Amino acid sequence: MSSPLRVLLYTEAFDPKVGGVVTSTRLLASYLHDQGVHVTVTTGTAGAGTRVYPFAVERCCPAERLQMLVRDTDVVHLQTF
């Protein structure tokens, strides 16, 4: 059996902020997760957020951590304004 596809979604805005980018990123990550994709959302938005997600959310990653996430990912998607 092959390992699941690994997708990294990068967005400047995510929960607890509100807006179209936040909503579309959350919907995309949830859909991909439901399809069996391993999803990680990285965001510049600090704070704990208001929800618990079935996918990983990394906040305010240092450059070294972001580089590691990119190296260990099959697809990187940038979600911007």
Side-chain angles (χ1 to χ4, degrees):
M1 178 179 239
S2 64
S3 60
L5 183 67
R6 295 165 303 181
V7 174
L8 178 66
L9 303 177
Y10 179 83
T11 180
E12 275 301 313
F14 199 65
D15 181 38
K17 291 185 177 180
V18 177
V21 171
V22 174
T23 301
S24 62
T25 302
R26 178 179 42 81
L27 290 173
L28 177 59
S30 295
Y31 175 80
L32 291 172
H33 177 268
D34 290 348
Q35 300 306 306
V37 174
H38 180 270
V39 178
T40 301
V41 173
T42 59
T43 179
T45 301
T50 58
R51 299 179 184 206
V52 175
Y53 296 101
F55 47 83
V57 179
E58 299 253 354
R59 296 177 183 278
C60 303
C61 292
E64 298 82 17
R65 174 70 178 144
L66 191 54
Q67 287 174 340
M68 188 186 85
L69 288 169
V70 169
R71 268 195 312 270
D72 294 340
T73 291
D74 299 308
V75 176
V76 176
H77 175 77
L78 304 178
Q79 192 87 346
T80 62
F81 298 99

